[in-house]
Amino acid sequence: MPTITTLPSFDAAINRFDPVMGMEVHVELGTTTKMFCGCSTEFGAEPNAQVCPTCLGLPGSLPVVNRVAVESAIRIGLALNCRIAEHCRFARKNYFYPDMPKNFQVSQYDEPIAFDGWTDVTVDTDDGARVFRIGIERAHMEEDTGKSLHVGGATGRIHGASHSLLDYNRAGIPLIEIVTKPIEVPPALAPAVARAYVTELRELIRALGVSEARMELGQMRCDANVSLKPTGASSFGTRTETKNVNSLRSVERAVTYEIRRQAAALDSGTAIVQETRHWHEDTGETTAGRVKEEAEDYRYFPEPDLVPVAPARDWVEQLRGTLPEPPAARRSRLQAEWGFTDLEMRDVVNAGAVGLVEETIAAGADAAGAKKWWLGVVARTANERGAGIDEVGITPADVARVQTLIGEGTLNDKLARQVVEGVLAGEGSPDEVVTARGLAIVSDDAALGTAVDGAIAAMPDVAEKIRGGNMGAVGALIGAVMKATGGQADAKRVRELIVERLSG
Ligand code: ADP
Ligand code: MG
Ligand code: ZN
């Protein structure tokens, strides 16, 4: 893998070059059946259990458009302030790939269902929050491919594999591809804007209820196009397209890396090749993929087996009426409901935790408690693992349960933290961790009494002070009891027991 060993810093790169970005995001719709056939889309079935002649591309089979997928596409388009085509067609995109049994993908080309829209994203800067309007070029419908599994190699990639297996369960699942117009923002903010855009889009898709948009499951996949031009130049440079950047954090990292890499290449007089690139999560680098096809290489032509889609205007208007609250409005509403300061809300938004905090509160936690766990130990763990905050194995229901256990007096904050750590370590639900690790607060008088007596016996001088009315000394004994019980004693009850024993 040829790597340029000395890359300029990001700051040095954007001193000389202005980046231009374009984001292509594929969203797998949560329909129950596929785009052009009645096969189930349920995740996790045996390989090739959810296939039929249509999604296997067998001769003579005929596709039929999934109405719910069209409806979802229109709602996504409307939510992105797009125009909805009065008439649009599907097109065949011809290329050979083993996981695409027809040798063409049914997509849309010159007639997407939605086009010419925009969405606003907010990023934090040193001068406070700034809003950028991202232009939306198009949102079009297409079908997903199957999946290849390369067996026998060390990396799971085709190189070094002894054979490959194909699973067509995913073939034909409806996808919406959303493509931005070129994004030009203050260079220093480019990576953050790219991330904010994908974050915003994910929130919008979830709010629409058209997909869970879980990036770790491939339900939302992002390709990041980046090019550089000399500072202040007007014409764009040659772009690369980094494929499958599948977490919010990776979007930011991949764009940053690509800006640095391209700056190094251009500085050394090497032209940028229009190519796809692979993102490597572990090294934070991209490597060359295939030289990018031009549209004409795909020999697009209208799909002859499908009728055009001509959504009636009154249907479109009716769907407009089903749009959810826009994410920005929702954030202000939730901030007011939760009583968070701007700064607190910003932290929640930046952590990508708005929905998680909302669900945690819905499951019974108070706002401050919900925020504390997600932004504290959970966020730190996610960071350490290089994963998303929603990908580390704890759910809103778990966090709410921990808060309930605190409220009930079963846990104190310190024990609760260990419970959360246990859940994050995969030890089970909060209740299971409490049981397995024996973490519940001990408030049983018999057990506490023994510990209290032990502390008094061990610290006779302190006991004497308390007998003499110096209540400030109680803390030292409580501390000793807490230590002896591994932090599990009910501190309030311990104080009562000490006072009972040493007064009168
Ligand atoms: P492709 O079929 O090659 O994937 P698309 O038109 O679907 O092309 O997507 C290209 C993306 O890259 C769009 O978001 C577009 O706005 C963006 N883009 C186009 N030209 C440039 C450029 N020179 N630099 C950065 N991004 C670009
Ligand atoms: Mg594309
Ligand atoms: Zn099928």
Side-chain angles (χ1 to χ4, degrees):
M1 161 192 322
T3 43
I4 299 162
T5 43
T6 49
L7 295 188
S9 70
F10 177 71
D11 288 344
I14 59 168
N15 248 329
R16 299 190 291 280
F17 297 102
D18 289 345
V20 177
M21 303 181 294
M23 308 303 286
E24 300 172 62
V25 175
H26 285 90
V27 176
E28 214 176 72
L29 294 178
T31 52
T32 51
T33 57
K34 292 187 181 179
M35 187 74 216
F36 302 115
C37 63
C39 288
S40 169
T41 56
E42 183 95 30
F43 186 80
E46 283 285 296
N48 300 307
Q50 292 162 349
V51 292
C52 73
T54 299
C55 56
L56 286 176
L58 300 188
S61 62
L62 285 173
V64 177
V65 177
N66 182 331
R67 183 187 168 95
V68 179
V70 176
E71 181 178 294
S72 302
I74 295 174
R75 292 179 69 237
I76 291 172
L78 290 171
L80 291 169
N81 303 291
C82 287
R83 293 163 59 195
I84 304 302
E86 304 211 353
H87 180 282
C88 66
R89 284 185 298 185
F90 288 95
R92 288 189 183 180
K93 183 180 185 181
N94 296 282
Y95 61 104
F96 170 77
Y97 211 74
D99 60 16
M100 210 182 50
K102 293 193 292 261
N103 284 342
F104 59 82
Q105 179 188 29
V106 178
S107 180
Q108 292 193 290
Y109 176 50
D110 49 350
E111 300 175 71
I113 186 145
F115 55 96
D116 199 15
W118 53 267
T119 190
D120 285 341
V121 305
T122 309
V123 289
D124 273 320
T125 73
D126 294 339
D127 311 322
R130 286 186 60 182
V131 177
F132 294 98
R133 180 153 295 186
I134 308 294
I136 303 294
E137 178 79 42
R138 56 197 274 140
H140 70 247
M141 301 178 279
E142 59 185 33
E143 56 179 341
D144 211 344
T145 57
K147 266 187 196 166
S148 316
L149 184 69
H150 305 298
V151 187
T155 58
R157 291 178 183 266
I158 195 162
H159 300 285
S162 60
H163 61 285
S164 298
L165 298 171
L166 289 164
D167 174 8
Y168 292 111
N169 285 349
R170 198 179 67 178
I173 289 190
L175 292 180
I176 304 297
E177 178 175 347
I178 301 155
V179 182
T180 68
K181 296 180 180 174
I183 303 170
E184 291 185 84
V185 293
L189 298 178
V193 168
R195 178 186 183 146
Y197 166 70
V198 180
T199 309
E200 189 75 19
L201 193 56
R202 188 180 69 169
E203 224 180 294
L204 192 70
I205 296 292
R206 287 180 178 172
L208 285 162
V210 294
S211 170
E212 287 176 32
R214 291 181 57 185
M215 296 180 84
E216 77 280 15
L217 294 184
Q219 293 169 340
M220 183 162 159
R221 313 197 274 270
C222 175
D223 304 336
N225 292 267
V226 175
S227 69
L228 294 184
K229 55 183 190 178
T231 304
S234 53
S235 56
F236 294 171
T238 303
R239 68 185 159 105
T240 61
E241 180 181 346
T242 302
K243 304 294 270 182
N244 293 322
V245 192
N246 287 338
S247 78
L248 297 173
R249 192 166 157 263
S250 306
V251 170
E252 191 167 354
R253 291 173 74 208
V255 168
T256 306
Y257 178 81
E258 207 36 35
I259 289 173
R260 296 176 59 205
R261 188 193 67 83
Q262 290 186 18
L266 293 171
D267 276 343
S268 71
T270 312
I272 303 299
V273 184
Q274 184 165 334
E275 63 187 359
T276 64
R277 297 190 64 88
H278 301 294
W279 166 243
H280 302 277
E281 187 70 53
D282 47 350
T283 57
E285 295 177 358
T286 66
T287 53
R290 60 186 152 85
V291 171
K292 184 71 183 171
E293 297 80 359
E294 295 295 333
E296 63 210 40
D297 294 328
Y298 289 121
R299 295 292 183 268
Y300 280 104
F301 66 86
E303 166 59 63
D305 286 342
L306 286 165
V307 292
V309 175
R313 292 298 100 178
D314 55 352
W315 186 36
V316 172
E317 287 319 305
Q318 182 199 326
L319 292 176
R320 196 188 298 279
T322 68
L323 294 186
E325 187 182 17
R330 172 163 170 266
R331 285 195 294 271
S332 342
R333 175 177 58 78
L334 291 174
Q335 181 181 348
E337 278 175 30
W338 298 345
F340 285 176
T341 62
D342 286 354
L343 205 68
E344 287 173 324
M345 194 63 193
R346 198 175 79 185
D347 287 344
V348 176
V349 171
N350 286 349
V354 175
L356 295 166
V357 169
E358 187 183 27
E359 287 171 44
T360 307
I361 294 169
D366 62 287
K371 170 167 131 340
K372 181 177 105 179
W373 295 113
W374 287 110
L375 268 53
V377 58
V378 180
R380 266 196 301 283
T381 305
N383 223 349
E384 280 161 22
R385 295 188 197 165
I389 184 175
D390 57 347
E391 301 167 350
V392 285
I394 191 163
T395 66
D398 291 336
V399 174
R401 178 66 184 151
V402 169
Q403 281 298 111
T404 303
L405 292 172
I406 297 175
E408 285 170 355
T410 308
L411 296 175
N412 57 28
D413 265 28
K414 216 168 132 205
L415 295 169
R417 194 191 148 96
Q418 294 175 54
V419 173
V420 170
E421 286 166 352
V423 176
L424 289 168
E427 293 168 25
S429 70
D431 290 279
E432 284 163 352
V433 176
V434 168
T435 311
R437 292 198 184 187
L439 286 176
I441 284 181
V442 179
S443 49
D444 148 56
D445 278 357
L448 290 184
T450 314
V452 167
D453 291 338
I456 290 172
M459 304 169 93
D461 45 338
V462 177
E464 209 40 56
K465 281 185 195 154
I466 298 170
R467 282 204 189 87
N470 178 359
M471 298 314 279
V474 174
L477 283 185
I478 298 177
V481 173
M482 292 308 278
K483 199 160 167 218
T485 57
Q488 280 178 249
D490 175 349
K492 191 160 153 269
R493 186 65 194 138
V494 169
R495 169 180 290 274
E496 288 165 2
L497 291 175
I498 294 170
V499 174
E500 260 171 37
R501 280 167 166 69
L502 298 180
S503 59

